[in-house]
Amino acid sequence: MRQRGAGAGGVGPAPDEDAAAEALRVDREVRMLIDAGRTEAANALFDQLVSKVPPSLAPWTRAAVLTRRAVAAWRLRRIPLALELAAEGWSDIDVEYPRGSFAADTLGRLGYLLEGIGHRRASLEITRLAVAVARSGDDLGVLAHALQNLGGTLNFRACDLPADDAEVVFGEARELLTEGLALAPDDRIHLALTAALGASLAGIGDLEQAERTARRTLAVGGSEDNRWAVSVAHWVLATVRRKQGLLAQAIEFGRAAVADAEAVQDPSLVQRYSQDLADTCRAHGDTEGEADALRRNIGARRTAQETLQEGLAQALDQRRLAIRAQRLATAAQEAAERDPLTGLANRLGLERAAPHMLNHAKSAARTPWLILIDVDWFKAVNDAAGHAAGDAALREIATVLRAECRVGDLIARWAGDEFVVLLTHPAQDDLPIGPAVAERIRAAVDSHDWTSVLGAVQHPTVSIGFATGELSFERLFAGADHALYEAKRKGRNRVEHYEG
């Protein structure tokens, strides 16, 4: 059997060892209260510590604290909180290269939680990994706990196997648990290992030794108020009596095991014990006892199912919030890259998008063209018609640019009354697409009906410079700027090409 939440904390790479030791000490007190069936006291203490994680802890130490608290929350039926703590702890660790005692401790508890939500294959894999990592560490208590965790998991798995296969798995569990007993420096983990070993011995048919081990567990567990260990001992004794054919005694021990498991709020134990109890009652002809055991089994399964449903609902809600946050972040980024007056890309948006566009052009054998547009006489328009009319004129020019450019062309307001168009065209096509688009823009602005926007005020035109070639954005812009200067110098309302 596995004990939920036993084991020493170990030593690790925490920069604040005192803070880590104190956090783990209080966590241990919570688990002791849970194992004693003192749920109310455990909840009260847990509420005091759950939000307190020392900020100075190293990632693996913090992960160990969080996952221990996740296990405590799970045992206390605080499922959403358990999943939240587990997810947070899991995010703190590097599962590809785990090392050290705290890593092993974290992995073992994650394995337990995965088993609890029904992900049994992943649970066994991560529990085996916890043992391997613990062997490379320097904390015997953590290794003993990892061995007990894996041995208990294998005990449970063996119960569902055919007899021959089950004996092999029980045998592996016995070896692991025996190794752990030789290492355990802590009385509590020693008791957990002893309890689980009794189940392995009963599974391989060593009934005499299994009973001695269970009796020892009962004595120590009772004196230490550890109802978890007592429940395991009762289950082992029920198994021994059933194999001896003493079904009435097996039923009594089985009922005690179920009651203890319910007291410590462990649905997986209740499921296992109540199923075995129902089978024993059926063999003994105790239909009333069988029915009661099955009701308890169904109740435990319902609890497990509700746990899964609650976990799925929480996961869905977290995914919904993550998507919403992602959309808000995307919207904020788009807003930061968009000119609020014209709706075109702004300078930031252009500078972010242009390198990607030019890189793609190079890899796709496309020729880039950068067209730089400046509004002629714009200051005169502002002075004569006012800034509101000037803003309206800039929006009109943005509309003209959208109409005259192609889908996929990048259009941006650079600054003030300057605009940029960045476009590409297949290199093998001899059509001078850059000059054609530039001239189309100039002509469209020149022939545009400005009356509704500017009235009788002098209508604006545009001067345009463009550059081309496999150049960086900065060099293309510099070339286009030089050509624009020439267009202005030669009288405005014209297009010039930079030939550098």
Side-chain angles (χ1 to χ4, degrees), residues 280-439:
T280 305
C281 289
R282 185 184 309 112
H284 192 53
D286 182 357
T287 55
E288 184 177 345
E290 179 187 2
D292 179 68
L294 289 175
R295 279 194 297 270
R296 294 174 185 273
N297 184 267
I298 291 170
R301 291 181 185 278
R302 185 181 297 116
T303 298
Q305 184 178 28
E306 290 171 354
T307 295
L308 287 175
Q309 290 171 342
E310 195 168 1
L312 288 172
Q314 184 192 40
L316 180 61
D317 194 50
Q318 288 177 339
R319 179 58 179 160
R320 176 182 63 82
L321 293 175
I323 290 173
R324 178 182 294 178
Q326 184 179 29
R327 287 176 177 172
L328 289 173
T330 300
Q333 181 177 343
E334 289 177 350
E337 298 176 358
R338 189 70 48 187
D339 173 47
L341 177 65
T342 64
L344 300 175
N346 60 15
R347 182 168 181 165
L348 175 63
L350 176 65
E351 289 177 337
R352 284 181 174 175
H356 299 291
M357 191 170 176
L358 293 173
N359 287 337
H360 178 264
K362 186 174 182 179
S363 63
R366 297 178 67 89
T367 300
W369 302 78
L370 190 145
I371 300 171
L372 183 58
I373 304 150
D374 184 83
V375 182
D376 298 326
W377 319 116
F378 187 68
K379 185 177 184 302
V381 170
N382 266 338
D383 291 344
H387 288 285
D391 287 347
L394 292 175
R395 285 194 292 268
E396 286 291 303
I397 290 175
T399 300
V400 171
L401 290 175
R402 290 190 185 96
E404 299 303 328
C405 293
R406 309 164 307 167
V407 174
D409 292 348
L410 178 57
I411 312 170
R413 182 185 178 195
W414 182 253
D417 58 347
E418 285 189 331
F419 297 84
V420 173
V421 176
L422 182 62
L423 55 94
T424 66
H425 197 68
Q428 66 271 22
D429 193 334
D430 294 334
L431 179 67
I433 192 67
V437 172
E439 178 56 32

Side-chain angles (χ1 to χ4, degrees), residues 203-264:
I204 63 174
D206 190 348
L207 303 184
E208 183 178 346
Q209 186 63 29
E211 178 157 358
R212 281 200 297 268
T213 303
R215 294 289 182 186
R216 188 161 60 250
T217 302
L218 271 180
V220 178
S223 66
E224 294 184 357
D225 196 20
N226 187 333
R227 292 193 72 175
W228 180 91
V230 170
S231 76
V232 179
H234 280 139
W235 177 58
V236 172
L237 290 171
T239 303
V240 170
R241 292 294 182 266
R242 187 172 66 247
K243 290 191 173 187
Q244 291 172 337
L246 302 174
L247 299 184
Q249 293 183 36
I251 290 172
E252 291 305 312
F253 283 127
R255 285 173 177 164
V258 172
D260 290 325
E262 289 176 336
V264 298

Side-chain angles (χ1 to χ4, degrees), residues 471-489:
L471 305 172
S472 66
F473 171 75
E474 290 76 13
R475 292 184 64 186
L476 282 172
F477 188 93
D481 189 50
H482 182 82
L484 174 62
Y485 174 80
E486 287 298 309
K488 291 282 190 181
R489 190 178 66 83

Side-chain angles (χ1 to χ4, degrees), residues 86-274:
E88 188 178 356
W90 206 338
S91 68
D92 279 346
I93 65 176
D94 180 0
V95 294
E96 291 187 9
Y97 303 103
R99 60 185 183 276
S101 297
F102 277 122
D105 187 77
T106 301
L107 291 169
R109 295 174 202 281
L110 287 173
Y112 160 70
L113 290 168
L114 289 171
E115 181 83 7
I117 65 175
H119 200 350
R120 302 185 75 201
R121 181 181 58 80
S123 169
L124 187 57
E125 289 177 356
I126 203 169
T127 303
R128 288 191 184 279
L129 177 60
V131 172
V133 174
R135 291 190 191 282
S136 68
D138 55 4
D139 191 304
L140 297 181
V142 169
L143 176 55
H145 182 271
L147 291 166
Q148 185 267 326
N149 197 24
L150 179 55
T153 299
L154 292 173
N155 278 342
F156 256 23
R157 298 299 172 85
C159 290
D160 297 323
L161 297 174
D164 291 343
D165 295 334
E167 187 171 348
V168 173
V169 177
F170 276 125
E172 181 186 357
R174 180 191 59 178
E175 293 178 5
L176 293 166
L177 296 165
T178 301
E179 179 187 357
L181 281 169
L183 300 172
D186 179 278
D187 290 341
R188 193 168 184 81
I189 187 59
H190 198 282
L191 181 60
L193 286 156
T194 302
L197 179 61
S200 300
L201 292 168
I204 63 174
D206 190 348
L207 303 184
E208 183 178 346
Q209 186 63 29
E211 178 157 358
R212 281 200 297 268
T213 303
R215 294 289 182 186
R216 188 161 60 250
T217 302
L218 271 180
V220 178
S223 66
E224 294 184 357
D225 196 20
N226 187 333
R227 292 193 72 175
W228 180 91
V230 170
S231 76
V232 179
H234 280 139
W235 177 58
V236 172
L237 290 171
T239 303
V240 170
R241 292 294 182 266
R242 187 172 66 247
K243 290 191 173 187
Q244 291 172 337
L246 302 174
L247 299 184
Q249 293 183 36
I251 290 172
E252 291 305 312
F253 283 127
R255 285 173 177 164
V258 172
D260 290 325
E262 289 176 336
V264 298
Q265 297 193 162
D266 197 322
S268 63
L269 295 191
V270 176
Q271 287 183 60
R272 179 74 267 157
Y273 299 169
S274 59

